[in-house]
Amino acid sequence: MKLRKLELKDAPLMLEWMHDESVICDMRGDFKEKTLDDCIAFIGNAQKDKENIHLAIATDTDEYMGTVSLKNIDREEQCAEFAITVRKCAMGKGYSWYGMDEIIRQAFEKYGLAYVYWCVSTRNERAVKFYDKHNFHRTSNISAKIQTQYKDMNGLLWYKVQNAK
């Protein structure tokens, strides 16, 4: 397993998870309406984006299995929002754990962030079980600035990981 930059060849497999109801059922984006052109544009934008880092989670043979991200990077607050999604065929095979562990490591070691946060809908039982299983701790200690982005959403659980250094 490895993390690498997103590549145009990833677009069809990215679209695969976007159109898989079992993957997107509890996510907040409107992924079913996305097209191959949308995926190509996202990959192109990811190459030059300074406020977000989007990387592919890939097999040892370089097959795209999902995307892991640090979004809304705030250099002043030294934090970023974590996001991840994987294809159905990658679920239960360690790709999510690898991608999450590696992007959080990079957030602290490569990008010098102080903490990484994320939220998940209480309805997304698969994600909640995953985060709890891997001993990520729920928190209510999220800045008002961050929570403002989610002001219209109810039923969210917040998680936060601090840099140990």
Side-chain angles (χ1 to χ4, degrees):
M1 288 178 219
K2 61 184 175 181
L3 292 189
R4 61 160 170 77
K5 288 184 177 184
L6 289 166
E7 299 174 4
L8 289 179
K9 69 179 182 177
D10 301 329
L13 296 176
M14 184 180 285
L15 188 63
E16 172 192 295
W17 70 254
M18 289 181 176
H19 288 186
D20 186 334
E21 184 61 36
S22 70
V23 174
I24 65 169
C25 62
D26 292 313
M27 297 172 76
R28 81 178 166 139
D30 186 15
F31 295 105
K32 275 195 167 182
E33 301 302 316
K34 299 294 183 189
T35 65
L36 187 59
D37 286 341
D38 292 325
C39 294
I40 291 168
F42 178 82
I43 292 167
N45 290 333
Q47 304 306 327
K48 52 191 174 215
D49 193 339
K50 301 293 183 209
E51 292 182 24
N52 303 286
I53 297 163
H54 304 288
L55 299 173
I57 306 166
T59 65
D60 292 336
T61 58
D62 208 36
E63 179 182 356
Y64 170 90
M65 299 306 277
T67 303
V68 65
S69 305
L70 293 174
K71 305 185 319 182
N72 305 312
I73 298 171
D74 186 328
R75 303 286 181 200
E76 187 177 309
E77 297 258 340
Q78 294 183 301
C79 67
E81 180 178 2
F82 163 79
I84 190 169
T85 191
V86 295
R87 296 166 54 206
K88 185 175 184 173
C89 68
M91 292 181 182
K93 296 183 178 162
Y95 290 98
S96 294
W97 174 242
Y98 173 81
M100 186 171 196
D101 192 49
E102 183 60 19
I103 199 76
I104 290 172
R105 184 192 66 74
Q106 287 186 24
F108 299 150
E109 294 178 12
K110 186 174 181 179
Y111 300 107
L113 300 178
Y115 67 94
V116 175
Y117 65 89
W118 65 97
C119 63
V120 63
S121 168
T122 54
R123 292 186 325 269
N124 192 340
E125 293 178 20
R126 180 174 54 223
V128 172
K129 284 180 187 177
F130 175 83
Y131 299 138
D132 291 346
K133 172 184 171 185
H134 290 289
N135 293 318
F136 290 108
H137 300 287
R138 299 175 190 184
T139 186
S140 57
N141 186 19
I142 299 293
S143 76
K145 177 181 174 182
I146 292 168
Q147 289 188 38
T148 302
Q149 301 170 59
Y150 296 90
K151 65 182 177 199
D152 297 329
M153 297 182 69
N154 295 316
L156 296 177
L157 296 176
W158 288 91
Y159 293 83
K160 183 175 174 180
V161 178
Q162 301 265 147
N163 189 344
K165 293 181 182 179

